[in-house]
Amino acid sequence: MNTEQKIKKVLEEAVTSLTGKPYSAGKILLQETRKEFEGDLTVVVFPLVKEIRKSPVEIGKLLGDYLVSHLSEIDRYNVVNGFLNLVFTGSYWVDFLNCVNNDTNYGMLKSGDKKETVVIEYSSPNTNKPLHLGHIRNNLIGYSLSRIMAADGYKVVKTNIVNDRGIHICKSMLAWQKWGNGITPEKAGKKGDFLVGDFYVRFEKEYRLQVQEMMNRGASKEEAVKNAPLLLEAQGMLRRWEAGDPEVIRIWKMMNQWVYDGFDVTYKNLGVDFDKIYYESDTYRIGKQIVLDALEKGLVYKKEDGSVWADLREDGLDEKLLLRADGTAVYMTQDLGTATLRYEDYHFSRHIYVVGNEQNYHFQVLKIVLKKLGYEWADRLMHLSYGMVELPEGKMKSREGKVVDADDLIAGMIETAREMGKELGKLDALADNEKDEVFRKIGLGALKYFILKIDPKKNIVFNPQESIDFNGNTGPFIQYTYARICSVFRKGEERGIAVPEKLAENYLPNEKETLLIRLLAKFPRVRKDAAASYNPALVANYTYEVAKAFNQFYHDYSILNEENADVRNLRLVMTRKTGEVLYHAMYLLGIEMPERM
Ligand code: ARG
């Protein structure tokens, strides 16, 4: 029986003895004590007023006294309005530390403990340009979530849909054909995704010129935009692509491969990966078939021009295009195919799409259309919608005010970490490659933490300078705290001081020590809440609380130099557990921890 269960049972007895009638523990509400009050657990007294017929404060006192005299775990209590705040004893906390002391995976479940599979889609780029700042947020949220769900016991499939076909891809291809002179990433000395992105930009530039020229010669804007020869050529290319024209397919494969090679480098540098990658060029066909089948069954309908639509007016939405008049697929078509394929592959109990909030409507529609087509599992789809991320005006924003490439941002963060590290000079004893590793971890840690500490739903202004500050709610501050803990144990080892297997109760934690222990005890619940609400920010902000509390503790007390062995032992156990909790919490965010800093 855990403590909460014990408390409920004793409360049951207390109420029964006060009223003379049996009372069931199921009705008793326990919650975490609010920050502003002293306590570890709070009993909500109001529901008992009816049974006991006394004022909430009186009832609180009666129950408080009963609990203190019947449960050795409860030291004292206070009553605030109808809330009975219980304070645990020092020996309760020593017991807790003994319980978790040798559990190096404290607070974490093993993936697979639960049978359900959760599919998490993130990244999902188009193949016409490099990954940018928005993708960074996307990838970080998706990757962190996959770790959080795995640590909650689920089997997790990390997946990606690559939108590798369509008009935007043909634009880069056409520009390369026209103006590329056979250039390749090797010849250009450039990453393939950047090279392809250049041709996309080139297309847009030439196209704009063409439109302008047509307008100068008297065409209306509308007509020019629609009929510029370059655009018509790109559309022709897309038709040839769908028809399987060998030359178009050859260029498509070649250029997409350049992009994939480039993406691989970015993913690796960011520290994210996937279990299974889906490609739109495969799934759009499945999607088309689904729509055609639905048409046959009368679930969707065809308009006069031949286009196929779903009528969602009953659901409060409008009509939705599923196939164009010329029979080609749209964005929705491929998502229908991708979702059904994934369900066949994994029979997921949940499928989470990490996609920006500008696509809220798209995912709302996707779910309803699938439901309409008879896929019961459509209810298991959920869109984790996140807000925009921008840079403050300044150094990291490119001159034209364009989006910032992921590669440049990552490299910039590591560089800044290096400059700051040099100033501090604490790593002078390390070899160059070891220093590089530390700076990489700090630069990435700063980036990841800054982005993940913010609730996914909110917009972010990413401030590189602020993110890398060694004080405050930053990744480097938490990494620094961890490195400090590692250093305690390195010194301990030199001096032959080891962490005990088990604590005796000769010394009970004082109030300040208890603050830190109490936070450590919260880890499993925070981790679980983060999984239940798909919110890495809960883990991030908890990590900050722990790091702050530890630094306070470290400032107030000696650890290795404490002469009383009982006191020292307690502090050693607390310190080691703090290090593990910080390490695991940051692991859940996808952040690596340096042992020196
Ligand atoms: N490639 C799309 C874009 O860049 C995002 C894809 C999101 N995922 C999905 N299953 N539709 O806008």
Side-chain angles (χ1 to χ4, degrees):
M1 217 188 310
N2 68 28
T3 311
E4 290 200 16
Q5 289 164 332
K6 277 194 205 167
I7 291 176
K8 284 194 172 182
K9 197 168 158 279
V10 173
L11 281 172
E12 205 171 71
E13 291 164 16
V15 178
T16 305
S17 81
L18 284 168
T19 61
K21 278 183 280 178
Y23 189 74
S24 132
K27 289 193 259 173
I28 291 169
L29 207 60
L30 289 180
Q31 61 190 33
E32 197 182 319
T33 304
R34 297 241 300 270
K35 265 203 186 134
E36 55 272 39
F37 304 120
E38 191 203 22
D40 297 298
L41 211 57
T42 293
V43 185
V44 185
V45 175
F46 296 111
L48 296 167
V49 172
K50 229 176 51 210
E51 323 277 335
I52 304 180
R53 298 177 180 279
K54 286 191 164 51
S55 78
V57 175
E58 279 174 291
I59 297 174
K61 286 188 178 147
L62 286 170
L63 296 180
D65 287 336
Y66 195 94
L67 284 166
V68 170
S69 59
H70 286 78
L71 269 181
S72 60
E73 286 89 342
I74 312 283
D75 186 54
R76 55 188 188 276
Y77 70 88
N78 60 80
V79 182
V80 181
N81 298 324
F83 297 98
L84 167 59
N85 303 318
L86 304 172
V87 183
F88 293 165
T89 57
S91 88
Y92 170 87
W93 292 117
V94 172
D95 276 352
F96 160 73
L97 287 175
N98 277 330
C99 254
V100 301
N101 188 21
N102 297 312
D103 177 3
T104 50
N105 266 324
Y106 161 63
M108 308 277 280
L109 299 185
K110 258 212 333 270
S111 172
D113 280 357
K114 293 182 181 155
K115 290 288 156 275
E116 296 108 305
T117 298
V118 176
V119 171
I120 305 181
E121 182 206 284
Y122 54 94
S123 209
S124 306
N126 299 335
T127 53
N128 62 337
K129 50 180 185 255
L131 303 181
H132 55 71
L133 184 52
H135 289 112
I136 288 191
R137 188 174 195 192
N138 180 308
N139 281 289
L140 296 182
I141 293 176
Y143 192 71
S144 171
L145 200 61
S146 73
R147 287 195 166 174
I148 289 173
M149 297 309 278
D152 202 36
Y154 293 101
K155 283 185 249 171
V156 172
V157 180
K158 295 171 283 180
T159 186
N160 188 345
I161 175 82
V162 181
N163 294 114
D164 61 344
R165 48 148 254 132
I167 189 71
H168 47 297
I169 316 290
C170 288
K171 289 177 180 173
S172 311
M173 286 159 60
L174 188 66
W176 179 84
Q177 223 180 16
K178 284 186 173 304
W179 304 296
N181 293 317
I183 192 131
T184 62
E186 292 78 54
K187 282 192 217 159
K190 201 170 211 169
K191 267 180 90 208
D193 48 342
F194 281 76
L195 186 67
V196 171
D198 288 349
F199 282 108
Y200 186 72
V201 171
R202 178 74 187 268
F203 176 95
E204 291 296 332
K205 191 174 136 208
E206 301 285 346
Y207 168 66
R208 271 199 306 276
L209 287 174
Q210 249 180 17
V211 169
Q212 194 52 54
E213 243 168 62
M214 287 169 75
M215 282 163 65
N216 292 346
R217 277 189 271 115
S220 73
K221 174 150 192 200
E222 198 188 340
E223 194 216 314
V225 166
K226 229 170 101 185
N227 291 329
L230 269 176
L231 182 65
L232 299 183
E233 249 182 290
Q235 286 166 344
M237 199 174 210
L238 181 59
R239 279 193 297 275
R240 283 196 283 148
W241 184 90
E242 288 216 10
D245 178 303
E247 179 58 8
V248 174
I249 298 288
R250 186 187 72 80
I251 298 177
W252 173 72
K253 281 199 173 144
M254 175 182 75
M255 290 180 75
N256 269 351
Q257 194 53 53
W258 295 348
V259 173
Y260 298 146
D261 293 343
F263 284 173
D264 282 349
V265 172
T266 310
Y267 287 141
K268 187 158 175 289
N269 286 342
L270 193 59
V272 304
D273 53 36
F274 305 94
D275 300 311
K276 168 98 184 178
I277 299 184
Y278 291 83
Y279 295 89
E280 174 177 346
S281 54
D282 299 324
T283 63
Y284 87 105
R285 286 179 218 276
I286 302 174
K288 267 177 146 176
Q289 198 51 54
I290 290 172
V291 176
L292 294 176
D293 292 347
L295 188 61
E296 208 151 279
K297 289 189 201 138
L299 298 170
V300 298
Y301 65 96
K302 206 177 216 160
K303 288 198 178 171
E304 263 176 23
D305 66 355
S307 54
V308 180
W309 298 73
D311 185 354
L312 308 178
R313 282 173 299 191
E314 268 185 14
D315 304 277
L317 304 175
D318 53 10
E319 298 165 284
K320 187 72 196 171
L321 178 69
L322 300 178
L323 285 178
R324 292 202 192 88
D326 64 1
T328 56
V330 292
Y331 184 47
M332 186 58 73
T333 328
Q334 56 93 31
D335 260 326
L336 296 172
T338 312
T340 48
L341 187 57
R342 282 182 183 150
Y343 188 72
E344 275 167 33
D345 287 349
Y346 297 108
H347 290 91
F348 49 76
S349 66
R350 230 169 307 170
H351 181 309
I352 304 169
Y353 292 96
V354 180
V355 181
N357 58 15
E358 70 277 3
Q359 297 197 24
N360 285 356
Y361 185 69
H362 174 78
F363 284 100
Q364 205 185 343
V365 171
L366 173 63
K367 202 165 169 168
I368 295 178
V369 170
L370 282 168
K371 204 76 200 273
K372 237 184 193 29
L373 302 189
Y375 297 101
E376 278 310 318
W377 48 261
D379 285 331
R380 304 180 195 178
L381 303 184
M382 96 124 217
H383 175 203
L384 182 71
S385 158
Y386 62 88
M388 268 192 344
V389 36
E390 288 174 312
L391 287 165
E393 226 64 59
K395 198 166 133 215
M396 310 271 312
K397 189 154 185 171
S398 72
R399 256 156 286 129
E400 307 80 46
K402 277 194 315 211
V403 287
V404 172
D405 294 314
D407 286 353
D408 296 344
L409 187 65
I410 294 170
M413 293 302 296
I414 297 173
E415 210 28 59
T416 313
R418 184 187 305 280
E419 282 160 22
M420 291 187 54
K422 267 202 201 122
E423 269 170 44
L424 285 175
K426 288 204 173 172
L427 297 176
D428 292 347
L430 294 186
D432 280 351
N433 62 337
E434 289 172 326
K435 276 188 211 157
D436 286 346
E437 241 331 75
V438 175
F439 297 139
R440 188 185 64 76
K441 288 181 184 171
I442 299 174
L444 277 170
L447 172 66
K448 294 182 179 184
Y449 188 87
F450 193 98
I451 288 184
L452 290 173
K453 76 175 176 181
I454 297 167
D455 188 303
K457 282 176 196 59
K458 295 197 179 134
N459 292 346
I460 299 186
V461 178
F462 175 64
N463 184 335
Q465 219 55 50
E466 191 186 318
S467 77
I468 215 158
D469 199 329
F470 279 35
N471 292 303
N473 191 2
T474 67
F477 169 67
I478 290 151
Q479 289 173 319
Y480 186 75
T481 308
Y482 179 74
R484 175 172 261 177
I485 290 171
C486 292
S487 138
V488 169
F489 288 108
R490 276 194 301 271
K491 285 188 198 138
E493 202 156 306
E494 279 166 21
R495 291 164 51 178
I497 301 177
V499 183
E501 284 279 312
K502 192 165 188 288
L503 292 170
E505 298 209 357
N506 302 337
Y507 173 74
L508 300 179
N510 64 28
E511 232 165 273
K512 277 186 177 171
E513 288 159 336
T514 305
L515 282 181
L516 178 58
I517 303 173
R518 191 179 276 148
L519 269 177
L520 297 176
K522 270 171 74 170
F523 179 54
R525 195 165 58 234
V526 172
R527 187 203 46 60
K528 201 165 159 231
D529 288 350
S533 59
Y534 311 115
N535 189 357
L538 297 183
V539 175
N541 290 296
Y542 165 76
T543 310
Y544 178 52
E545 294 298 317
V546 173
K548 260 195 314 197
F550 178 79
N551 282 300
Q552 187 61 48
F553 162 79
Y554 185 82
H555 173 266
D556 292 343
Y557 298 115
S558 310
I559 302 171
L560 297 172
N561 291 334
E562 168 58 51
E563 277 167 16
N564 178 328
D566 289 319
V567 180
R568 186 175 66 227
N569 280 340
L570 177 95
R571 293 184 185 158
L572 282 168
V573 166
M574 287 169 61
T575 302
R576 180 167 71 183
K577 208 38 73 181
T578 304
E580 284 170 8
V581 164
L582 287 178
Y583 185 92
H584 279 133
M586 291 292 260
Y587 167 88
L588 294 177
L589 302 176
I591 298 175
E592 296 171 83
M593 298 286 252
E595 293 181 3
R596 295 166 199 269
M597 221 172 123

